[in-house]
Amino acid sequence: MNQRAFLQGIDAMMFAAFRGAGIANGATYQHSGTAPVAVPCTVLHDEGVQDFDDDGVAVSTPYNRVTLQLAEVSPRSGGVVQIAATGRRLKLEQKIRGDESSQVWEVSNA
């Protein structure tokens, strides 16, 4: 088993456990474009996130983010995540970080 498969297996187990505990959400993902197809996925949606730099200045603007599994979707800027339980639509604005298994994106209301 390679590192990518190992990480994706661990993330799949964690996301399933988080969803069972009510922390992760069922959702769909659509690329922006002419004929987008909604793909079912599981996301972690964090609202009001505040990051503080290491420069000692405690100033931050809250933002919202989602974490997506790459085994489920191939996210890109402009794509839209729709949370199943609420119908809320979130547009992927900027990738914050990622690895071979998941990506974290800053989002805005779509």
Side-chain angles (χ1 to χ4, degrees), residues 1-21:
M1 175 181 289
N2 63 26
Q3 181 177 356
R4 180 180 184 169
F6 177 75
L7 290 172
Q8 287 182 350
I10 288 176
D11 275 351
M13 287 188 301
M14 289 189 314
F15 273 63
F18 292 155
R19 189 168 180 185

mmCIF file of all heavy atoms in Angstrom, residues 1-21:
data_model
loop_
_atom_site.group_PDB
_atom_site.id
_atom_site.type_symbol
_atom_site.label_atom_id
_atom_site.label_comp_id
_atom_site.label_asym_id
_atom_site.label_seq_id
_atom_site.Cartn_x
_atom_site.Cartn_y
_atom_site.Cartn_z
ATOM 1 N N MET A 1 0.860 -1.175 0.000
ATOM 2 C CA MET A 1 0.000 0.000 0.000
ATOM 3 C C MET A 1 0.905 1.237 0.000
ATOM 4 O O MET A 1 1.823 1.335 0.799
ATOM 5 C CB MET A 1 -0.891 -0.020 1.239
ATOM 6 C CG MET A 1 -1.739 1.228 1.399
ATOM 7 S SD MET A 1 -2.768 1.235 2.885
ATOM 8 C CE MET A 1 -3.978 0.009 2.476
ATOM 9 N N ASN A 2 0.607 2.191 -0.877
ATOM 10 C CA ASN A 2 1.401 3.411 -0.912
ATOM 11 C C ASN A 2 0.847 4.452 0.061
ATOM 12 O O ASN A 2 -0.211 4.259 0.664
ATOM 13 C CB ASN A 2 1.494 3.970 -2.338
ATOM 14 C CG ASN A 2 0.142 4.372 -2.901
ATOM 15 O OD1 ASN A 2 -0.788 4.698 -2.171
ATOM 16 N ND2 ASN A 2 0.027 4.349 -4.214
ATOM 17 N N GLN A 3 1.572 5.552 0.210
ATOM 18 C CA GLN A 3 1.180 6.588 1.171
ATOM 19 C C GLN A 3 -0.181 7.186 0.833
ATOM 20 O O GLN A 3 -0.984 7.415 1.721
ATOM 21 C CB GLN A 3 2.233 7.688 1.220
ATOM 22 C CG GLN A 3 1.899 8.771 2.215
ATOM 23 C CD GLN A 3 2.979 9.829 2.326
ATOM 24 O OE1 GLN A 3 4.027 9.738 1.707
ATOM 25 N NE2 GLN A 3 2.727 10.845 3.119
ATOM 26 N N ARG A 4 -0.436 7.437 -0.438
ATOM 27 C CA ARG A 4 -1.712 8.029 -0.842
ATOM 28 C C ARG A 4 -2.881 7.134 -0.428
ATOM 29 O O ARG A 4 -3.855 7.593 0.167
ATOM 30 C CB ARG A 4 -1.721 8.268 -2.339
ATOM 31 C CG ARG A 4 -3.001 8.869 -2.840
ATOM 32 C CD ARG A 4 -2.964 9.079 -4.328
ATOM 33 N NE ARG A 4 -4.172 9.734 -4.755
ATOM 34 C CZ ARG A 4 -4.354 10.240 -5.940
ATOM 35 N NH1 ARG A 4 -3.390 10.179 -6.836
ATOM 36 N NH2 ARG A 4 -5.489 10.795 -6.246
ATOM 37 N N ALA A 5 -2.797 5.839 -0.744
ATOM 38 C CA ALA A 5 -3.862 4.907 -0.384
ATOM 39 C C ALA A 5 -4.021 4.811 1.130
ATOM 40 O O ALA A 5 -5.143 4.760 1.649
ATOM 41 C CB ALA A 5 -3.576 3.533 -0.980
ATOM 42 N N PHE A 6 -2.908 4.813 1.852
ATOM 43 C CA PHE A 6 -2.954 4.757 3.311
ATOM 44 C C PHE A 6 -3.671 5.986 3.883
ATOM 45 O O PHE A 6 -4.575 5.860 4.711
ATOM 46 C CB PHE A 6 -1.538 4.656 3.865
ATOM 47 C CG PHE A 6 -1.470 4.655 5.365
ATOM 48 C CD1 PHE A 6 -1.832 3.524 6.083
ATOM 49 C CD2 PHE A 6 -1.048 5.778 6.063
ATOM 50 C CE1 PHE A 6 -1.778 3.513 7.474
ATOM 51 C CE2 PHE A 6 -0.996 5.780 7.446
ATOM 52 C CZ PHE A 6 -1.354 4.646 8.155
ATOM 53 N N LEU A 7 -3.270 7.188 3.425
ATOM 54 C CA LEU A 7 -3.899 8.421 3.907
ATOM 55 C C LEU A 7 -5.382 8.474 3.557
ATOM 56 O O LEU A 7 -6.213 8.880 4.374
ATOM 57 C CB LEU A 7 -3.182 9.649 3.345
ATOM 58 C CG LEU A 7 -1.788 9.929 3.879
ATOM 59 C CD1 LEU A 7 -1.129 11.065 3.100
ATOM 60 C CD2 LEU A 7 -1.828 10.244 5.360
ATOM 61 N N GLN A 8 -5.725 8.064 2.344
ATOM 62 C CA GLN A 8 -7.135 8.084 1.947
ATOM 63 C C GLN A 8 -7.959 7.097 2.772
ATOM 64 O O GLN A 8 -9.107 7.386 3.123
ATOM 65 C CB GLN A 8 -7.271 7.814 0.450
ATOM 66 C CG GLN A 8 -6.828 9.001 -0.381
ATOM 67 C CD GLN A 8 -6.995 8.796 -1.871
ATOM 68 O OE1 GLN A 8 -7.278 7.703 -2.351
ATOM 69 N NE2 GLN A 8 -6.812 9.868 -2.621
ATOM 70 N N GLY A 9 -7.386 5.956 3.115
ATOM 71 C CA GLY A 9 -8.089 4.995 3.963
ATOM 72 C C GLY A 9 -8.336 5.537 5.362
ATOM 73 O O GLY A 9 -9.432 5.391 5.914
ATOM 74 N N ILE A 10 -7.317 6.171 5.929
ATOM 75 C CA ILE A 10 -7.476 6.774 7.260
ATOM 76 C C ILE A 10 -8.507 7.896 7.212
ATOM 77 O O ILE A 10 -9.388 7.976 8.071
ATOM 78 C CB ILE A 10 -6.127 7.290 7.790
ATOM 79 C CG1 ILE A 10 -5.238 6.119 8.171
ATOM 80 C CG2 ILE A 10 -6.318 8.221 8.982
ATOM 81 C CD1 ILE A 10 -3.851 6.507 8.604
ATOM 82 N N ASP A 11 -8.406 8.779 6.210
ATOM 83 C CA ASP A 11 -9.378 9.873 6.104
ATOM 84 C C ASP A 11 -10.799 9.344 5.923
ATOM 85 O O ASP A 11 -11.744 9.876 6.512
ATOM 86 C CB ASP A 11 -9.023 10.815 4.950
ATOM 87 C CG ASP A 11 -8.010 11.873 5.358
ATOM 88 O OD1 ASP A 11 -7.716 11.996 6.559
ATOM 89 O OD2 ASP A 11 -7.524 12.599 4.462
ATOM 90 N N ALA A 12 -10.981 8.306 5.121
ATOM 91 C CA ALA A 12 -12.325 7.738 4.922
ATOM 92 C C ALA A 12 -12.909 7.255 6.246
ATOM 93 O O ALA A 12 -14.081 7.500 6.543
ATOM 94 C CB ALA A 12 -12.269 6.607 3.901
ATOM 95 N N MET A 13 -12.085 6.578 7.065
ATOM 96 C CA MET A 13 -12.561 6.105 8.372
ATOM 97 C C MET A 13 -12.895 7.282 9.293
ATOM 98 O O MET A 13 -13.919 7.270 9.977
ATOM 99 C CB MET A 13 -11.521 5.200 9.029
ATOM 100 C CG MET A 13 -11.412 3.847 8.382
ATOM 101 S SD MET A 13 -10.345 2.682 9.273
ATOM 102 C CE MET A 13 -8.784 3.533 9.291
ATOM 103 N N MET A 14 -12.023 8.297 9.300
ATOM 104 C CA MET A 14 -12.260 9.448 10.185
ATOM 105 C C MET A 14 -13.503 10.232 9.752
ATOM 106 O O MET A 14 -14.328 10.605 10.593
ATOM 107 C CB MET A 14 -11.033 10.348 10.228
ATOM 108 C CG MET A 14 -9.869 9.730 10.970
ATOM 109 S SD MET A 14 -8.467 10.838 11.294
ATOM 110 C CE MET A 14 -8.213 11.650 9.751
ATOM 111 N N PHE A 15 -13.644 10.489 8.462
ATOM 112 C CA PHE A 15 -14.804 11.237 7.989
ATOM 113 C C PHE A 15 -16.098 10.478 8.290
ATOM 114 O O PHE A 15 -17.098 11.079 8.672
ATOM 115 C CB PHE A 15 -14.689 11.527 6.488
ATOM 116 C CG PHE A 15 -13.931 12.774 6.146
ATOM 117 C CD1 PHE A 15 -12.588 12.913 6.457
ATOM 118 C CD2 PHE A 15 -14.554 13.834 5.487
ATOM 119 C CE1 PHE A 15 -11.879 14.050 6.135
ATOM 120 C CE2 PHE A 15 -13.858 14.982 5.163
ATOM 121 C CZ PHE A 15 -12.517 15.094 5.482
ATOM 122 N N ALA A 16 -16.083 9.145 8.134
ATOM 123 C CA ALA A 16 -17.268 8.343 8.463
ATOM 124 C C ALA A 16 -17.593 8.436 9.950
ATOM 125 O O ALA A 16 -18.758 8.593 10.342
ATOM 126 C CB ALA A 16 -17.053 6.892 8.042
ATOM 127 N N ALA A 17 -16.567 8.357 10.794
ATOM 128 C CA ALA A 17 -16.787 8.483 12.239
ATOM 129 C C ALA A 17 -17.284 9.877 12.597
ATOM 130 O O ALA A 17 -18.205 10.034 13.403
ATOM 131 C CB ALA A 17 -15.497 8.174 13.003
ATOM 132 N N PHE A 18 -16.694 10.913 11.988
ATOM 133 C CA PHE A 18 -17.134 12.289 12.241
ATOM 134 C C PHE A 18 -18.578 12.484 11.800
ATOM 135 O O PHE A 18 -19.360 13.152 12.473
ATOM 136 C CB PHE A 18 -16.237 13.299 11.522
ATOM 137 C CG PHE A 18 -14.834 13.381 12.059
ATOM 138 C CD1 PHE A 18 -13.803 13.817 11.252
ATOM 139 C CD2 PHE A 18 -14.516 13.018 13.353
ATOM 140 C CE1 PHE A 18 -12.496 13.918 11.718
ATOM 141 C CE2 PHE A 18 -13.220 13.105 13.849
ATOM 142 C CZ PHE A 18 -12.209 13.553 13.020
ATOM 143 N N ARG A 19 -18.943 11.905 10.650
ATOM 144 C CA ARG A 19 -20.326 12.034 10.170
ATOM 145 C C ARG A 19 -21.285 11.331 11.123
ATOM 146 O O ARG A 19 -22.347 11.856 11.442
ATOM 147 C CB ARG A 19 -20.453 11.480 8.761
ATOM 148 C CG ARG A 19 -21.790 11.788 8.145
ATOM 149 C CD ARG A 19 -21.823 11.498 6.669
ATOM 150 N NE ARG A 19 -23.138 11.815 6.138
ATOM 151 C CZ ARG A 19 -23.496 11.575 4.908
ATOM 152 N NH1 ARG A 19 -22.657 11.053 4.053
ATOM 153 N NH2 ARG A 19 -24.713 11.880 4.500
ATOM 154 N N GLY A 20 -20.897 10.159 11.603
ATOM 155 C CA GLY A 20 -21.722 9.440 12.572
ATOM 156 C C GLY A 20 -21.901 10.202 13.872
ATOM 157 O O GLY A 20 -22.934 10.098 14.530
ATOM 158 N N ALA A 21 -20.910 11.007 14.238
ATOM 159 C CA ALA A 21 -20.973 11.809 15.467
ATOM 160 C C ALA A 21 -21.617 13.177 15.231
ATOM 161 O O ALA A 21 -21.756 13.958 16.164
ATOM 162 C CB ALA A 21 -19.566 11.993 16.029
#
